[in-house]
Amino acid sequence: MNIADDLKKTTRLNEEPSLPTIVGFASILIVSGIFVVFDFSSKLLFLVNATISLIALFQTHSSASRKRQRLEDFQRIQAEELREWQARWQRLYQETQDATSALVRMRDGVIMIGQDYQVLLINPAAKRLLGLPESLDMTKRPFRDSVRYPELSRAMNAAYQGKGTQKLKLEIQDGEIKRPLKLRVDHFGAISDNHLLITVRDETESHRVDAMRREFIANISHELKTPLAAIKGYAETVELAINDDPDAACHFMKQIHGQCLRLERLIADMMQLARAQAGTGNLNLSDVSITETIHESLKSLQHVAESKNISLVFNPPKEPPIVRADPEALLTICNNLISNAVRYTPEHGNISVSCKDETEYWGLTVEDNGVGISETDQKRIFERFYRVDKRADSSDGGTGIGLSIVKNLVMTLGGVVRVTSRIGEGAKFQACIPKSPQGHKIA
Ligand code: ADP
């Protein structure tokens, strides 16, 4: 029983004391009658009448105010209860809204099946993943009318029969796209309810990552196997030649040394790539001057350019080009772009390094007049292990990872990298790095 009922009862009980009011008035009449009949003194009659009237009036008044008080309490409690119910209803409505919008926005498909395979609920993701039109109304209709996969039907039957959670994989042809799906069918509620919950997950991304991992392992094995095989071959030759032909042995020793350096470079590059792909969490962002970074890079690469009689010049901009970057990452970007330009530019060539204001970015540009890159290769040179010259023993010493590191680092810093080139005429690489919000000053 609620408070309001309780109160109504109490109010009714409290109405009963109004009886003395009636009794009071009746007494007045009776006593007055007695006095009239027996002719008592009129003073005494007046006194008695007045007393009784006062008592009756007081009684009437106090009963009325009690009633009013009770009514007010009752109304107040009713209003409180109403407010409480409204709040409860609002909470319930909000929870339902949240659950519905979560279900609608979910990337995984959710389907609830009731008795006789009837669809109780299906979210948009489930329709999309199963290749069904979004407008298709499936509620209260048999699931099998729209979706017919024997494996799924078997799994649903098994789940209906209480054989536990059923897991299966399907590959769905949706127009041009082949979509790998992972499904799970769960029975829930009492067996008599026969409700099923089907969850559908798109496995395209994880299949892609798996394929990438497999490709990476294949690439890396190939890259490591080649220098290792060369080292093994040279070492066997050295062993044979060491007594009879020390000069040949010395030559092969140098080859072994060269291959060891290549292995070292490969491992260093792979570690740098892993760092570049790890995201901003691995970088220490601060305001960095591109000019200073380029000077630092030129210090180590100028002598290599000189050894090939290449003119390597840097034209710093008037304004100091301050970017928001990790100093080490910026140096890696500069080193890779400039060393590539030196590597792929023949003797007596020209390389110019510059920095251009690109509104929100500073564009670090390295331009050479070297061998250039064909349009087909331009599309692939940023891929890991992609080399235009596929010969493993190519004298350029490239690992095919440098530009992949550059691309990943620039992207992690929030920038873009592009290339323009014509075969035989040279190449121009531009890495655009976001400017520092502080402008020209280093914070
Ligand atoms: P690598 O270690 O082989 O240089 P990169 O990832 O740095 O690997 O470069 C990939 C490929 O792009 C190279 O094999 C090379 O053929 C080409 N490339 C890069 N920079 C230049 C350039 N400045 N001029 C011509 N080709 C270039």
Side-chain angles (χ1 to χ4, degrees), residues 119-139:
V119 178
L120 298 181
L121 182 151
I122 178 161
N123 72 344
K127 284 187 188 169
R128 184 175 46 78
L129 294 176
L130 293 168
L132 303 167
E134 209 186 316
S135 54
L136 180 72
D137 184 11
M138 294 171 70
T139 7

Side-chain angles (χ1 to χ4, degrees), residues 340 343-344 368 373 381 386-388 398-403 429:
N340 271 353
R343 192 181 300 153
Y344 300 106
D368 64 60
I373 310 158
I381 49 170
Y386 187 83
R387 281 198 307 258
V388 174
T399 59
I401 304 180
L403 286 180
F429 283 86

Side-chain angles (χ1 to χ4, degrees), residues 18-27:
S18 65
L19 188 67
T21 316
I22 302 158
V23 174
F25 281 113
S27 320

Side-chain angles (χ1 to χ4, degrees), residues 249-431:
C250 192
H251 166 77
F252 288 118
M253 282 303 288
K254 277 188 188 142
Q255 298 294 324
I256 291 174
H257 186 240
Q259 291 299 331
C260 286
L261 289 180
R262 181 174 164 72
L263 274 179
E264 208 174 58
R265 253 193 326 266
L266 198 66
I267 289 163
D269 276 1
M270 281 188 316
M271 285 172 71
Q272 253 183 352
L273 180 63
R275 185 171 173 249
Q277 287 179 328
T280 33
N282 249 12
L283 301 179
N284 295 317
L285 295 183
S286 61
D287 291 345
V288 195
S289 156
I290 299 191
T291 308
E292 279 172 27
T293 314
I294 291 173
H295 280 306
E296 202 179 330
S297 179
L298 290 180
K299 252 192 253 165
S300 60
L301 292 168
Q302 195 64 266
H303 72 278
V304 189
E306 277 165 16
S307 71
K308 285 176 81 178
N309 288 313
I310 289 172
S311 132
L312 173 56
V313 289
F314 170 43
N315 309 304
K318 286 191 196 85
E319 269 180 37
I322 310 295
V323 288
R324 190 82 187 148
D326 175 304
E328 228 180 285
L330 194 62
L331 186 61
T332 306
I333 294 168
C334 287
N335 282 343
N336 276 313
L337 292 181
I338 301 172
S339 66
N340 271 353
V342 174
R343 192 181 300 153
Y344 300 106
T345 300
E347 291 206 352
H348 304 289
N350 296 308
I351 300 170
S352 80
V353 183
S354 58
C355 215
K356 207 173 151 220
D357 190 337
E358 300 274 352
T359 330
E360 288 170 35
Y361 304 91
W362 276 109
L364 159 66
T365 310
V366 180
E367 196 170 356
D368 64 60
N369 62 351
V371 294
I373 310 158
S374 73
E375 269 189 42
T376 326
D377 287 323
Q378 282 176 39
K379 292 189 188 110
R380 301 202 55 194
I381 49 170
F382 293 100
E383 285 174 23
R384 206 172 38 199
F385 296 119
Y386 187 83
R387 281 198 307 258
V388 174
D389 182 354
K390 307 281 185 308
R391 286 172 300 147
D393 60 343
S394 63
S395 53
D396 66 32
T399 59
I401 304 180
L403 286 180
S404 178
I405 295 173
V406 169
K407 186 185 168 191
N408 278 284
L409 283 177
V410 172
M411 270 167 54
T412 310
L413 293 173
V416 280
V417 60
R418 38 186 176 240
V419 59
T420 46
S421 176
R422 282 170 83 95
I423 199 106
E425 288 181 17
K428 179 176 162 184
F429 283 86
Q430 190 180 45

